[in-house]
Amino acid sequence: MERKINIFDTTLRDGEQSAGVNLNISEKLKIAQQLAKLRVDVIEAGFPIASEGDFEAVKTISREVRDVSVAALARAETKDIDRAWEALKTGQNPRIHTFIATSDIHMRYKLGLSPEEVLEKAVMAVKYAAGFTKNVEFSAEDAFRSDPDFLVRIFDEAVKAGASIINIPDTVGYATPEEFGALVRYIIDRVQNTGQVEVSVHCHNDLGMAVANSLAAVQAGATQVECTVNGLGERAGNAALEEIVMALNTRKDHFSAYTAINTRQIYRTSRLVSSLTGFPVQPNKAVVGINAFAHESGIHQHGVLQEKTTYEIMTPESIGLTVNSIVLGKHSGRHAFEDKLKKMGYQMTREEINSLFTKFKALADRKKNIYDEDIEALIDAGLDTEKRPLHLDYFQVSCGNNSHPTSAVGLVYKGEPIHEACIGNGPVDASFKAIEKALGISVILEDYQIKSITEGKDAMGEVIVRISEGNRVFTGRAVSIDVIEASIKAYIEALNKMFMRPGGHIMPSLETRKEAI
Ligand code: KIV
Ligand code: ZN
């Protein structure tokens, strides 16, 4: 009989812990809403005690995203659990996820506690959390490097104290599939009442084995897998959700297991996470890489044309990757546009549709064929741009191989127009310099990526810019058929995030700056 495997997505918690990832609340909410469409069973939305931003994100997601369990992380401390519950309590099926490290190395050097003290804290935390909800998960951090018999003891006590999910992490990605499967089996066989609790695994990818280890755990009897979209996460990341789900789906004959995931939402989810985090997906990445379904060699192409299954073990459609179809053009009206949005699965308010329709018309004036991806790009670019303090009014660039690249940029900051011109190493560099000069600021450009996201000579170019100020990184993304425009808009979006973050950058008033200049 096939077993149901629950998918616990931790993109917004462990994924967000990746160096260089910094999502704001509205971006986290967008991702959570998409994860709900993907039909994950649990969304771990953050670590509320860690920061005000995490607390607010968990609170907002708990309130807004229904029909999915929302989890929050808490150390085995009452203050962490109180904070997690405060953020979660309006949710439909909130889960408190409490953890403590159990390996000798972590207990001695990180916690400075004996195994008995760790056991005591774990029991206290689970009991305390169970006072708020029955949906309590207990994780033994660095479980794979822990003494298996100590793990059995602590999980036994956690279950007695009220945990309904026990989680076995390979925190440092050290396990091999055979070893990890054996550990999961050892625990299932020895911890009492494992038939009544969920057994979860959480694998990191330091040696590239996170997915293999998670699947070995499923074969050993695990009922929940913790993972992230695109394998995002601390260091080398976590097990990739899309790979686990498609492996279970494609090899049902082998695993005899299924998930509730709507696989047709996988590609869209991957794209959204990539564009909001600014972390690109490598072209040959399993399942969601741009080449995952591309057949380059003549022999392969011939085979696929004769019979797809010669070289395709899953279809592009199964992950929601459809062949580009021309959907609309400049003569398309509002009805056709609304109908297309509905078919693509978007539910929007009248206001949002109006704002998007204006952008669609502007794009259709410049681009003959509008594909699904173009519409998605407009949506991803954000509907709430009006609330942002900084806007682009115009830009004018001049460059050539015999002249200094120059850019003149006109901006509107909080309703006030400002203009500046600069020369640079290229039109993009000149434009970024002009923006900084106009605003009287200096930020570090950490990363700049550009790629085309639709087909043809009039393809839309996507630019992702990462800037930093102090130890905070801000990501901006924009699309346009003009790559200079996309670059400037992405830069402005990153700056807006910097200005709008809680307690954010205080801009001197324009008058003060003009006087200083
Ligand atoms: O990797 C880990 O051990 C974790 C725990 C908090 C579950 O992320
Ligand atoms: Zn982790």
Side-chain angles (χ1 to χ4, degrees):
M1 206 183 65
E2 285 179 2
R3 290 183 305 131
K4 157 105 191 293
I5 304 300
N6 287 334
I7 297 294
F8 175 115
D9 179 276
T10 182
T11 308
L12 296 174
R13 198 278 298 169
D14 221 332
E16 223 253 344
Q17 276 171 228
S18 309
V21 173
N22 187 6
L23 298 166
N24 62 32
I25 293 180
S26 82
E27 291 166 332
K28 286 185 184 174
L29 181 61
K30 257 191 205 167
I31 292 176
Q33 282 161 337
Q34 180 57 32
L35 289 171
K37 275 195 197 149
L38 184 64
R39 299 207 209 108
V40 302
D41 299 278
V42 186
I43 295 173
E44 186 165 51
F47 190 2
I49 194 96
S51 72
E52 198 52 39
D54 258 39
F55 176 83
E56 285 304 327
V58 175
K59 196 170 164 187
T60 308
I61 292 167
S62 297
R63 193 181 59 228
E64 306 278 326
V65 185
R66 316 306 280 183
D67 300 327
V68 58
S69 177
V70 175
L73 189 66
R75 287 168 304 182
E77 306 281 348
T78 53
K79 64 176 187 304
D80 283 37
I81 295 167
D82 283 336
R83 196 80 179 131
W85 184 248
E86 190 55 34
L88 285 170
K89 66 185 182 196
T90 58
Q92 225 169 26
N93 183 15
R95 175 179 298 185
I96 299 175
H97 177 192
T98 185
F99 75 100
I100 192 161
T102 50
S103 63
D104 286 347
I105 190 164
H106 276 229
M107 291 191 289
R108 183 175 318 146
Y109 296 108
K110 190 178 85 174
L111 301 175
L113 296 174
S114 69
E116 292 313 309
E117 286 167 324
V118 165
L119 188 74
E120 207 177 292
K121 273 178 99 81
V123 170
M124 176 286 298
V126 172
K127 271 194 185 144
Y128 190 69
F132 295 114
T133 170
K134 289 200 176 341
N135 195 351
V136 176
E137 172 166 337
F138 170 71
S139 284
E141 191 191 6
D142 204 17
F144 182 71
R145 294 192 301 169
S146 305
D147 170 6
D149 293 318
F150 181 57
L151 280 182
V152 170
R153 244 183 102 201
I154 203 163
F155 282 139
D156 246 335
E157 294 303 323
V159 173
K160 277 190 219 145
S164 44
I165 305 101
I166 53 172
N167 183 35
I168 309 166
D170 177 19
T171 303
V172 291
Y174 187 67
T176 64
E178 291 76 13
E179 290 171 308
F180 198 61
L183 177 66
V184 171
R185 166 81 24 235
Y186 190 85
I187 288 167
I188 291 177
D189 286 347
R190 284 163 184 78
V191 174
Q192 287 167 36
N193 300 325
T194 43
Q196 276 123 59
V197 296
E198 266 197 67
V199 177
S200 171
V201 291
H202 175 113
C203 298
H204 279 267
N205 204 31
D206 297 67
L207 292 172
M209 288 189 277
V211 170
N213 288 341
S214 306
L215 293 171
V218 167
Q219 284 186 288
T223 55
Q224 174 179 282
V225 176
E226 302 195 354
C227 45
T228 57
V229 176
N230 300 338
L232 211 63
E234 283 264 22
R235 305 182 309 278
N238 290 57
L241 179 149
E242 61 280 1
E243 294 179 26
I244 289 167
V245 168
M246 289 315 283
L248 293 177
N249 214 38
T250 310
R251 297 303 314 277
K252 258 199 184 116
D253 60 320
H254 181 69
F255 292 107
S256 294
Y258 68 97
T259 68
I261 295 294
N262 175 2
T263 62
R264 287 176 178 267
Q265 292 288 337
I266 285 181
Y267 190 67
R268 185 177 288 175
T269 313
S270 161
R271 282 269 307 271
L272 180 69
V273 169
S274 168
S275 67
L276 292 180
T277 56
F279 273 42
V281 173
Q282 78 193 55
N284 60 330
K285 162 90 174 59
V287 183
V288 289
I290 201 78
N291 287 352
F293 294 94
H295 303 283
E296 188 65 28
S297 87
I299 297 175
H300 287 205
Q301 285 177 351
H302 177 71
V304 170
L305 286 175
Q306 299 298 316
E307 167 55 47
K308 280 192 172 170
T309 54
T310 48
Y311 286 100
E312 261 181 26
I313 58 163
M314 53 195 160
T315 64
E317 291 79 16
S318 65
I319 62 152
L321 187 62
T322 47
V323 180
N324 277 344
S325 56
I326 299 169
V327 290
L328 300 168
K330 74 176 189 183
H331 300 299
S332 307
R334 182 179 295 265
H335 264 333
F337 183 68
E338 277 195 51
D339 191 51
K340 187 69 206 169
L341 286 177
K342 259 192 218 128
K343 286 201 178 111
M344 287 171 72
Y346 290 105
Q347 285 158 353
M348 291 185 176
T349 63
R350 181 106 330 258
E351 219 184 9
E352 286 170 338
I353 294 173
N354 289 345
S355 149
L356 207 58
F357 187 66
T358 314
K359 288 178 187 161
F360 159 74
K361 278 295 194 190
L363 179 63
D365 273 342
R366 302 166 74 188
K367 187 174 190 302
K368 190 161 174 262
N369 300 326
I370 309 283
Y371 300 94
D372 284 8
E373 287 82 353
D374 292 316
I375 296 182
E376 272 171 10
L378 289 180
I379 294 169
D380 288 354
L383 294 159
D384 51 357
T385 46
E386 288 74 18
K387 292 183 206 137
R388 300 174 185 184
L390 184 64
H391 296 269
L392 174 67
D393 184 11
Y394 68 85
F395 71 93
Q396 174 84 45
V397 293
S398 125
C399 57
N401 61 351
N402 265 334
S403 62
H404 290 298
T406 313
S407 176
V409 180
L411 303 167
V412 178
Y413 180 73
K414 292 191 174 163
E416 284 186 73
I418 29 175
H419 321 260
E420 209 41 87
C422 272
I423 56 170
N425 294 320
V428 173
D429 183 48
S431 303
F432 289 1
K433 283 189 170 128
I435 294 171
E436 285 195 40
K437 198 170 167 200
L439 295 166
I441 58 168
S442 170
V443 294
I444 295 166
L445 180 64
E446 297 283 349
D447 194 20
Y448 171 87
Q449 299 159 34
I450 181 163
K451 67 171 194 220
S452 86
I453 52 169
T454 50
E455 288 172 10
K457 284 190 179 148
D458 64 353
M460 293 272 262
E462 175 188 59
V463 173
I464 295 176
V465 163
R466 304 215 344 256
I467 59 169
S468 71
E469 191 203 39
N471 58 0
R472 300 282 307 265
V473 177
F474 304 91
T475 304
R477 172 183 175 274
V479 287
S480 169
I481 56 170
D482 176 340
V483 294
I484 308 291
E485 183 179 355
S487 303
I488 292 175
K489 286 187 167 167
Y491 199 63
I492 288 177
E493 183 178 323
L495 288 170
N496 271 323
K497 285 184 192 163
M498 186 174 96
F499 297 147
M500 288 165 72
R501 72 169 192 263
H505 194 98
I506 310 294
M507 285 280 297
S509 79
L510 284 180
E511 279 319 306
T512 326
R513 279 183 297 118
K514 275 178 202 152
E515 274 163 30
I517 296 165

